[in-house]
Amino acid sequence: AWGALHLFIVPRIGELRPQLESRASQALGVTVRIGAISAHSGGVFPSFELSDVRLLDSEGRQALQLPRVVAVLTPGSLWNLGFEQLYIDRPQLNIRRTQDGRIFVAGLGLSKDQAADGRAGDWLFSQTELVIQGGTLQLTDEMQSAPALVLQQVDLVIRNRSRKHALRLDATPPLELGERFSVQAEFRHPL
């Protein structure tokens, strides 16, 4: 499998972009667009770089933009169907609450009447490391008819090791709401 990855997938990854867009769109339930994808196999562990990744909501609005994503695979992460490291540079994420109270994160609906199965959270916390740098988070509340709250320079680091999860979030709110803040958390769970 490791040889097939290096010999067949890495050199041809750019050709697989349409199939990756289609599968991601089906899995997420929203339209996914990938500007370009490339692979680097300079060492034992290959890395993949995606540029201009966009998720569009059901109305065709851009709900998530990822200018650059770098993912590193190792034998262990491949075995767990994940990545050793995910690095996301300057993402732009929209979270919106509609007038009827429905919440959308990156165009994905989070409905109160649907039981969340937790697969996305399980996948996120099974990744060894997730790093986001220079992000923008826009929170829009149509129920309150308030102006959107925009957090700038959002940096997030999540590190997951067997039973321990560490998280650090730094963000800058609008000047009238205060200064840059930092939130840190550490979670442990039993066997």
Side-chain angles (χ1 to χ4, degrees), residues 39-155:
H40 309 283
S41 182
V44 177
F45 306 126
S47 64
F48 298 91
E49 184 170 332
L50 291 83
S51 60
D52 193 27
V53 178
R54 294 174 283 126
L55 272 65
L56 307 176
D57 67 13
S58 60
E59 297 173 15
R61 292 181 296 216
Q62 182 173 287
L64 176 64
Q65 180 183 7
L66 306 172
R68 182 171 170 247
V69 177
V70 178
V72 177
L73 284 174
T74 63
S77 65
L78 190 60
W79 180 261
N80 293 320
L81 299 176
F83 301 100
E84 183 67 23
Q85 182 182 50
L86 275 173
Y87 171 79
I88 303 172
D89 188 31
R90 298 173 285 121
Q92 296 177 5
L93 172 65
N94 293 328
I95 299 176
R96 183 172 57 95
R97 182 168 70 162
T98 62
Q99 289 183 351
D100 60 0
R102 293 182 300 147
I103 296 175
F104 292 88
V105 176
L108 302 170
L110 303 178
S111 177
K112 295 177 188 174
D113 51 342
Q114 290 179 329
D117 63 7
R119 285 184 292 173
D122 289 345
W123 181 85
L124 177 68
F125 286 105
S126 70
Q127 305 311 302
T128 305
E129 182 175 69
L130 169 68
V131 177
I132 295 174
Q133 284 191 318
T136 301
L137 174 61
Q138 179 175 328
L139 304 164
T140 305
D141 190 347
E142 295 172 0
M143 284 184 74
Q144 300 291 326
S145 297
L149 171 64
V150 179
L151 298 176
Q152 300 285 340
Q153 300 170 352
V154 177
D155 299 329

Side-chain angles (χ1 to χ4, degrees), residues 31-46:
T31 303
V32 177
R33 296 285 178 246
I34 302 171
I37 184 169
S38 61
H40 309 283
S41 182
V44 177
F45 306 126

